[in-house]
Amino acid sequence: MTSVTASRSGSGGTAFAVLGAASFCHLLNDMMQSLVIAAYPIFKSEFDLSFAQLGLLTLTYQATASMLQPLVGLYTDRRPQPYSLPVGMSSTLCGLLALAFASSYPGLLVGSALLGIGSSIFHPESSRLARLASGGAHGLAQSIFQVGGNAGASLGPIVVAFFVLPRGQESIAWFALVALCGIIVLTRLGGWYKRHAERRPVARRGSGEESGLGRREIARALALLFGLILSKYFYLASFTSYYVFYLMHRFGLPQGEAQLYLFVFLASVAAGTLIGGPVGDRIGRKAVIWTSIAGVLPFTLVLPYVGLPATAVLSVLIGLILSSAFSAIVVYAQELMPGRVGMVSGLFFGLAFGLGGIGAALVGALADWTSIEFVYKICAFLPAMGFLAAFLPDAEGRRRARLEARLSSNASER
């Protein structure tokens, strides 16, 4: 593996070796977590679980992560903890072992909670590491980091289909070796982060001065972003937790084949994530957010009424378009509150986990009450909330105007 201590590339000062290593660890982290969700059919049959109980598993994992991530980010903004990264991966390792050898439903809940704790430690610090290594290309850096997570999530169904399903629940324990590999790489990344920590932005109260917005405008913008995250992750919850069941029930697919369709969807999510960040750097983050969430609405509305080939095509388009928003949302929020990178990253990653968990629980309960097909018809309207992006302030335009005014003033003084 390329050394994470490699010097920054000459183009823009971006430390691509560090970003690549962080993205790789994100891949490992999210792959281990997604294989557990992809293994839900195993847990469902092994423990005779309902859809609501599966949703509670997701809620336990994601609520644990969502509650802790902003707190971890707030703390590490003031006191950076470079070596907390391998600690988070160690919690993930313990969660995998707990799930592999669980003999009851409460044991599955404990394993899910340990996975959530691992994510709550990993995401804020690694996101700040990515920004530190960005060399100013914040959208690109966030996309490189985030695409690792989405690529890892897409591998979960493949791993389950070809490795876990033939061997059973206990085979999940083998992925503790993957977590151990992540711990080694993250320990080295922690060393790089510690050496470069003096370059991090200093947290201060007057963050609104740099963003060009007042406190009320920042609060309103954050509220709008929360609404957009809600629509995105409530809809994604219907895919990540229940798409396999939808395909099996509606089209009669065997479980292994349905897992492959889920892999295709999650791979499109990874591709969209990689595209969204650099495009936001070029055309503006607000434009990407608006297009991504609202633009997917026609496809979600059609999806529940088409055949299997069209379902596969539409799921790719939905994943590609919808996922491009997250990197833009995170960087947009970071620029609203300069110097609070850890807190903002933890807040939005935590919000994504929390809302995804709540969405999974509600979708599961609704599926038990009605049917899995009805769930997809109702959830199809969620991306309509993307039109809220029209009310986001043009923070980038104001910042450019302030910079140009400052440069003009300095030139006139000379």
Side-chain angles (χ1 to χ4, degrees):
M1 185 187 123
T2 306
S3 171
V4 297
T5 58
S7 61
R8 297 186 178 199
S9 71
S11 177
T14 304
F16 285 106
V18 174
L19 288 174
S23 183
F24 172 70
C25 291
H26 201 182
L27 182 150
L28 298 183
N29 183 78
D30 285 23
M31 181 193 73
M32 291 182 288
Q33 292 162 3
S34 73
L35 74 87
V36 174
I37 295 177
Y40 277 4
I42 296 176
F43 297 148
K44 191 176 191 301
S45 60
E46 184 74 21
F47 297 97
D48 193 25
L49 303 180
S50 67
F51 284 121
Q53 286 175 307
L54 291 176
L56 184 57
L57 277 180
T58 305
L59 178 61
T60 300
Y61 154 62
Q62 294 184 331
T64 305
S66 66
M67 288 187 294
L68 293 178
Q69 283 196 52
L71 299 177
V72 171
L74 181 61
Y75 178 80
T76 56
D77 275 333
R78 299 173 180 175
R79 299 179 182 85
Q81 305 291 321
Y83 291 107
S84 66
L85 292 169
V87 173
M89 189 66 75
S90 298
S91 179
T92 299
L93 186 154
C94 294
L96 288 172
L97 294 177
L99 288 165
F101 299 110
S103 58
S104 64
Y105 183 64
L108 295 178
L109 291 173
V110 170
S112 296
L114 287 170
L115 288 178
I117 292 171
S119 285
S120 71
I121 298 172
F122 175 80
H123 285 104
E125 277 294 78
S126 54
S127 187
R128 190 208 325 279
L129 172 71
R131 190 172 180 89
L132 184 63
S134 69
H138 302 311
L140 173 63
Q142 187 64 40
S143 282
I144 292 174
F145 168 69
Q146 186 64 25
V147 76
N150 290 133
S154 71
L155 291 175
I158 293 294
V159 171
V160 168
F162 293 104
F163 186 84
V164 178
L165 277 179
R167 294 168 178 82
Q169 177 187 346
E170 292 185 357
S171 64
I172 294 173
W174 283 102
F175 293 90
L177 297 175
V178 176
L180 185 60
C181 174
I183 289 169
I184 294 169
V185 178
L186 286 170
T187 300
R188 299 196 66 191
L189 276 175
W192 182 91
Y193 179 24
K194 185 176 182 180
R195 290 191 295 274
H196 293 77
E198 67 273 9
R199 299 180 188 176
R200 72 184 185 278
V202 180
R204 4 177 255 250
R205 284 184 155 180
S207 61
E209 293 180 4
E210 288 193 13
S211 67
L213 301 172
R215 288 187 177 182
R216 288 187 178 181
E217 287 181 295
I218 290 176
R220 184 168 65 88
L222 289 174
L224 290 170
L225 292 176
F226 291 165
L228 295 170
I229 288 284
L230 185 149
S231 68
K232 172 181 165 66
Y233 280 93
F234 262 54
Y235 185 76
L236 282 178
S238 68
F239 267 89
T240 55
S241 293
Y242 303 107
Y243 190 43
V244 168
F245 297 107
Y246 174 77
L247 294 173
M248 292 169 63
H249 192 275
R250 177 148 192 237
F251 300 110
L253 295 184
Q255 184 177 327
E257 187 176 345
Q259 294 282 4
L260 296 179
Y261 279 89
L262 178 59
F263 163 73
V264 171
F265 168 74
L266 293 174
S268 70
V269 169
T273 300
L274 185 60
I275 293 169
V279 170
D281 284 337
R282 289 181 175 272
I283 69 171
R285 314 199 199 287
K286 180 178 176 179
V288 172
I289 295 168
W290 165 273
T291 304
S292 171
I293 300 178
V296 82
L297 183 61
F299 304 114
T300 63
L301 291 174
V302 171
L303 179 74
Y305 304 99
V306 297
L308 180 60
T311 295
V313 172
L314 288 173
S315 70
V316 169
L317 292 174
I318 290 168
L320 193 67
I321 298 170
L322 190 59
S323 62
S324 63
F326 189 69
S327 295
I329 288 174
V330 171
V331 177
Y332 183 96
Q334 288 173 346
E335 291 173 348
L336 286 176
M337 303 177 70
R340 300 290 186 183
V341 175
M343 186 192 73
V344 169
S345 300
L347 181 63
F348 277 87
F349 277 106
L351 190 68
F353 279 110
L355 291 176
I358 294 170
L362 293 176
V363 167
L366 183 61
D368 283 333
W369 186 43
T370 57
S371 68
I372 197 71
E373 290 93 343
F374 181 77
V375 162
Y376 275 75
K377 293 176 181 178
I378 292 298
C379 289
F381 293 91
L382 287 170
M385 291 182 67
F387 292 106
L388 291 173
F391 300 100
L392 287 171
D394 185 14
E396 295 162 294
R398 295 193 195 187
R399 189 162 42 253
R400 284 193 300 268
R402 288 166 65 87
L403 179 60
E404 290 171 1
R406 190 180 299 128
L407 291 174
S408 176
S409 176
N410 291 341
S412 63
E413 287 177 1
R414 292 174 186 173

